[in-house]
Amino acid sequence: MSEDKSNQEDVEDGFMETIIIEVEGKGSALAELDERNPIIREAIWQALPIEGSAILWGGEVYFDLPLQLKDENPSPSSESGDICYWSPGPALCIFFGQTQPYSRVNHIGKVVQGLDLFERINAADRIVLRKKELVRMEAMCQLRGGGFSPAPMGWSQQKGPESYNL
């Protein structure tokens, strides 16, 4: 059985490129970026936060992107949950139904939580994509006796772990 190596290095390092997709007034979804088109994925990751106005096409919502990127590894098909860059737009597409792309798209990730949110989107709804800030487990816990225990009471990102004798 082959092992999925997408994001393996990031996971081993304790980090994964994860984004929050917020639809103003309706909720949010969580997506994980992957390695299918790493150059495009990284350009979009570095440009976050990004916002746009929803455009609907069947089981797809998309919005204009302020990035003009060259196709990297385009595909003529998609699956529900796929997040893709569409170079002719340029636009970011989120597939939530059976709709297939109008033309080739560059897959950059997958919605992993809250896919049903996109069924409630209306045209022109404001969508905001931002990085989900992940913190290494070691920064939230301290190592004691060979295992992890919760960080000291009162620990916060403002104070940081250096303010405690860990």
Side-chain angles (χ1 to χ4, degrees):
M1 181 159 63
S2 75
E3 183 180 345
D4 180 12
K5 301 221 185 250
S6 65
N7 284 331
Q8 182 174 347
E9 186 175 302
D10 289 339
V11 172
E12 287 173 358
D13 288 343
F15 295 98
M16 181 174 284
E17 291 179 337
T18 304
I19 59 173
I20 297 171
I21 305 167
E22 182 181 352
V23 180
E24 192 170 76
K26 295 193 175 165
S28 60
L30 197 62
E32 292 177 353
L33 302 183
D34 59 39
E35 293 296 320
R36 291 179 280 180
N37 289 281
I39 295 169
I40 292 171
R41 182 218 58 230
E42 187 62 22
I44 291 172
W45 175 256
Q46 294 303 321
L48 295 176
I50 296 172
E51 65 179 75
S53 184
I55 303 166
L56 301 173
W57 189 62
E60 173 190 349
V61 61
Y62 66 98
F63 60 92
D64 295 333
L65 267 185
L67 300 171
Q68 184 65 58
L69 305 168
K70 292 181 180 177
D71 282 334
E72 184 176 353
N73 215 357
S75 171
S77 62
S78 68
E79 296 177 359
S80 185
D82 279 342
I83 300 173
C84 305
Y85 173 77
W86 184 55
S87 61
L92 191 77
C93 311
I94 302 167
F95 293 89
F96 61 90
Q98 299 304 311
T99 301
Q100 291 300 307
Y102 177 76
S103 61
R104 294 174 161 267
V105 292
N106 297 271
H107 299 276
I108 63 163
K110 196 100 170 157
V111 175
V112 295
Q113 184 179 2
L115 186 61
D116 60 327
L117 167 68
F118 301 102
E119 296 170 6
R120 301 189 308 268
I121 289 182
N122 296 314
D125 279 353
R126 183 172 171 256
I127 300 174
V128 179
L129 277 67
R130 66 181 186 280
K131 294 176 183 177
K132 180 176 185 212
E133 298 301 326
L134 298 181
V135 179
R136 282 181 176 273
M137 189 171 196
E138 293 87 349
M140 297 301 290
C141 299
Q142 71 184 57
L143 188 58
R144 288 190 183 153
F148 284 103
S149 63
M153 184 74 96
W155 185 88
S156 70
Q157 287 183 331
Q158 288 79 25
K159 290 181 182 178
E162 63 279 351
S163 62
Y164 297 94
N165 279 332
L166 299 180

